[in-house]
Amino acid sequence: MENYFCQKVDLRSRAAMVQFLTSHFRYNTMNSWNNSTSYANNVKVNRIIPREHQDQAYNLLEQEAVFHHIHVLFSEWAEQYHYRWHAGFNGRSGGYIVLYQGQAESPKSGPKSYCLECGQHNFKLVPPENPTPEQRLILLVHQNQTWRDAVIYENNEELIKNLGFEREAALAIFAAEKRKISQGAGEFSSSNKCGKCHAPARVNYETPPTRFNIFPVRSTDMGEDFHSEDWDMESLRDRVRLVQSFDQLCDQVRALFIAYCKDYRVEEVEVMVPQKRKILKPVEV
């Protein structure tokens, strides 16, 4: 991968590091009127994509799969910095990648599954493909959470007995599962169907993803005096390495986009969308 944004900096030289940081391109973290800027790179198609691929690149701007891949790169990069730093698009047409400050969180609630086709998160678990007898009882709880345990048993008594459970054992499983749900263990959906693309391709996370906050109103090093005593040599090196890493991430995005231009073409296909309509039908007598 060629270096388009990333450049070498002499980390032994204070002057070289200060020059790199103060001359780096910057852009708004929110809006121009917000007067908050951070390190950034211009990634507009006519700026970074070779002329022979630009028509294809403009077509790719409408493809969700491409940007899903890019956001995976962003997420993996942020994880390296424990989500204290993030990269994101900004500008009216999303033509700039900006370095943002952030903070990681670990809430009990969060996405429990995701779609392998489109990447959509879902806050419910995918049910087991071949549930055990006990898991089948647990699924009854998730399908009928508003019912009292005794009602769940009465309405499914024959099934529960066929699974080998007596009434008291089944009620104990129901109660235990409801406690887990109340403690944020997660609920099961009825199938693995994705709510966005409708593909039967949802799977559960082995480890739920870390939640995080991004602070777009915060500037980074805006008007900073790198000659002050607060910036010793090691602090300067750390900041230069961070910005170099950010620039390298932008180079990865550029290389990914060019690879899509070379390896794929955008075709227009006709998609039939089912619709529900109300029609008149004669009354059967």
Side-chain angles (χ1 to χ4, degrees):
M1 180 184 69
E2 67 171 306
N3 287 345
Y4 185 89
F5 295 109
C6 190
Q7 56 182 284
K8 293 182 179 180
V9 180
D10 186 354
L11 298 180
R12 301 166 299 177
S13 167
R14 185 182 189 90
M17 291 190 289
V18 171
Q19 171 64 20
F20 170 73
L21 294 172
T22 56
S23 63
H24 195 284
F25 179 77
R26 302 179 66 83
Y27 195 73
N28 305 313
T29 58
M30 201 167 180
N31 298 300
S32 58
W33 52 263
N34 186 254
N35 195 30
S36 177
T37 67
S38 181
Y39 300 99
N41 283 305
N42 185 335
V43 292
K44 292 181 180 179
V45 167
N46 61 1
R47 177 72 177 266
I48 67 169
I49 304 297
R51 186 176 297 276
E52 64 270 22
H53 298 304
Q54 287 185 9
D55 288 344
Q56 173 71 333
Y58 282 115
N59 289 330
L60 288 171
L61 292 177
E62 301 176 2
Q63 301 302 307
E64 289 187 12
V66 178
F67 283 91
H68 172 66
H69 198 162
I70 290 173
H71 285 293
V72 168
L73 292 179
F74 285 174
S75 178
E76 291 175 346
W77 184 83
E79 186 178 8
Q80 296 176 32
Y81 292 94
H82 305 289
Y83 300 97
R84 290 182 56 246
W85 297 100
H86 296 264
F89 288 103
N90 200 11
R92 282 186 299 176
S93 58
Y96 301 89
I97 298 178
V98 182
L99 178 66
Y100 292 103
Q101 297 183 39
Q103 182 183 49
E105 293 183 344
S106 298
K108 290 183 179 180
S109 61
K112 300 294 189 295
S113 60
Y114 66 99
C115 178
L116 292 171
E117 291 292 328
C118 68
Q120 174 79 357
H121 295 304
N122 194 293
F123 286 82
K124 289 190 176 183
L125 293 162
V126 176
E129 187 174 350
N130 297 301
T132 63
E134 184 173 342
Q135 287 174 332
R136 291 187 66 180
L137 262 63
I138 288 172
L139 292 176
L140 287 177
V141 175
H142 288 264
Q143 294 162 9
N144 306 283
Q145 286 190 48
T146 59
W147 293 4
R148 291 184 293 109
D149 296 349
V151 175
I152 296 176
Y153 178 83
E154 290 166 7
N155 287 355
N156 298 276
E157 184 174 0
E158 184 177 352
L159 169 64
I160 293 169
K161 287 184 176 180
N162 289 338
L163 290 172
F165 293 93
E166 296 297 330
R167 186 177 189 278
E168 293 306 316
L171 293 178
I173 291 173
F174 296 160
E177 188 60 22
K178 284 187 176 179
R179 281 196 299 272
K180 288 182 181 179
I181 294 173
S182 67
Q183 293 167 2
E187 301 176 36
F188 284 102
S189 55
S190 59
S191 72
N192 66 341
K193 185 177 179 180
C194 175
K196 183 179 180 181
C197 71
H198 308 298
R202 279 176 50 231
V203 294
N204 293 326
Y205 280 108
E206 291 185 12
T207 302
T210 302
R211 302 287 299 278
F212 54 82
N213 290 323
I214 298 176
F215 306 117
V217 296
R218 293 185 184 178
S219 64
T220 300
D221 299 345
M222 186 176 174
E224 186 69 35
D225 180 10
F226 292 109
H227 295 286
S228 71
E229 294 180 357
D230 294 335
W231 289 94
D232 57 29
M233 288 293 285
E234 197 53 43
S235 298
L236 277 173
R237 290 189 185 104
D238 288 343
R239 182 62 96 230
V240 168
R241 291 188 182 108
L242 168 67
V243 179
Q244 283 180 311
S245 177
F246 168 74
D247 289 343
Q248 194 170 44
L249 172 65
C250 294
D251 281 334
Q252 287 181 277
V253 172
R254 176 177 181 266
L256 173 66
F257 220 84
I258 292 175
Y260 267 106
C261 289
K262 292 179 178 179
D263 299 338
Y264 293 88
R265 67 177 184 271
V266 178
E267 291 186 353
E268 194 172 89
V269 297
E270 189 172 309
V271 179
M272 305 301 292
V273 180
Q275 292 183 332
K276 285 186 177 181
R277 294 184 179 180
K278 293 182 178 180
I279 61 172
L280 288 174
K281 293 188 71 174
V283 177
E284 297 182 1
V285 292

